[in-house]
Amino acid sequence: GAGVSQSPSNKVTEKGKDVELRCDPISGHTALYWYRQSLGQGLEFLIYFQGNSAPDKSGLPSDRFSAERTGGSVSTLTIQRTQQEDSAVYLCASTSGSSGELFFGEGSRLTVL
Amino acid sequence: EDQVTQSPEALRLQEGESSSLNCSYTVSGLRGLFWYRQDPGKGPEFLFTLYSAGEEKEKERLKATLTKKESFLHITAPKPEDSATYLCAAPGGTSYGKLTFGQGTILTVHP
């Protein structure tokens, strides 16, 4: 497909388990973003990758959260030792350059029991 | 700290009843104001970018305007398919894509 692809679309896990969320950006887009959307918090920036530059991790809420982007394309967001407050929809977006016109995927809904 | 505030939280309109959504912002050195539409279960979809006070952008029944302190999204003669959550956002930092989003306005248009 031509859009941003995220997997899994839904993930239910137990408190304390680790989870990995995957994002396939639009081909050719150099910038990739992760956002989190939860009730009462709206959309929050998590992390940003631009080309080969060091990622901007300023939005990650704790050191349990990490992300990597391999080969300038696919990205994985990892949450270690999940907590109930991590329950949210995790959205990935990509764009060319540093544009604010982001193309979002449909998100991965994470539920931590 | 950058802040983006939207009002109202929810808006119910009859089909054909025009109205406006508001987005006020407190951002140092504003470098643009973005509007997105989000349907249930989907990611946000880009609508407009406004860069300077007085600028206007239009798309179908939607028109976005920008002043020095706020932006408006005007909806003219809305249809039920315009029902969605409308989000505004302002960029912070060095990247235009590192956005501070408002809480959104949930628009419902009844036939």
Side-chain angles (χ1 to χ4, degrees):
Chain A
V4 175
S5 178
Q6 293 189 244
S7 61
S9 55
N10 278 287
K11 176 72 175 180
V12 180
T13 191
E14 294 179 347
K15 178 182 173 180
K17 300 285 189 182
D18 297 352
V19 296
E20 286 189 350
L21 308 176
R22 176 188 168 102
C23 172
D24 277 287
I26 293 172
S27 177
H29 280 185
T30 57
L32 186 148
Y33 299 80
W34 284 98
Y35 282 81
R36 178 170 72 174
Q37 188 170 34
S38 52
L39 289 175
Q41 294 294 322
L43 266 158
E44 302 172 279
F45 166 81
L46 296 177
I47 188 170
Y48 153 56
F49 297 88
Q50 173 64 281
N52 295 320
S53 302
D56 179 341
K57 306 179 182 180
S58 59
L60 294 178
S62 78
D63 58 8
R64 296 185 295 104
F65 288 72
S66 64
E68 63 177 18
R69 188 178 186 191
T70 55
S73 181
V74 172
S75 177
T76 302
L77 177 69
T78 301
I79 309 173
Q80 296 179 311
R81 305 181 302 282
T82 52
Q83 304 294 312
Q84 289 183 332
E85 60 263 28
D86 300 334
S87 295
V89 176
Y90 290 83
L91 289 158
C92 175
S94 69
T95 191
S96 55
S98 61
S99 169
E101 183 180 345
L102 301 181
F103 294 82
F104 282 88
E106 295 197 344
S108 292
R109 179 176 296 278
L110 174 66
T111 303
V112 182
L113 301 177
Chain B
E1 181 180 334
D2 295 345
Q3 282 196 325
V4 178
T5 305
Q6 293 187 245
S7 62
E9 292 184 7
L11 181 63
R12 300 168 73 91
L13 299 173
Q14 289 297 126
E15 184 171 2
E17 179 187 2
S18 301
S19 189
S20 297
L21 313 182
N22 177 264
C23 172
S24 61
Y25 56 87
T26 307
V27 176
S28 56
L30 184 71
R31 298 182 298 122
L33 192 290
F34 299 83
W35 283 97
Y36 282 81
R37 168 191 170 130
Q38 186 173 26
D39 292 300
K42 305 288 186 182
E45 176 185 354
F46 172 80
L47 290 173
F48 303 110
T49 307
L50 301 165
Y51 287 106
S52 57
E55 188 174 1
E56 298 183 351
K57 294 272 180 75
E58 286 190 64
K59 181 179 180 179
E60 295 181 358
R61 295 175 293 281
L62 300 176
K63 182 169 78 172
T65 61
L66 182 66
T67 72
K68 288 186 177 180
K69 294 185 178 181
E70 57 193 348
S71 178
F72 293 93
L73 185 65
H74 307 277
I75 304 175
T76 302
K79 298 182 178 182
E81 53 262 41
D82 295 323
S83 298
T85 297
Y86 290 87
L87 300 161
C88 72
T94 57
S95 167
Y96 279 93
K98 184 179 176 182
L99 297 169
T100 298
F101 279 87
Q103 295 290 324
T105 293
I106 303 170
L107 174 66
T108 305
V109 182
H110 296 283

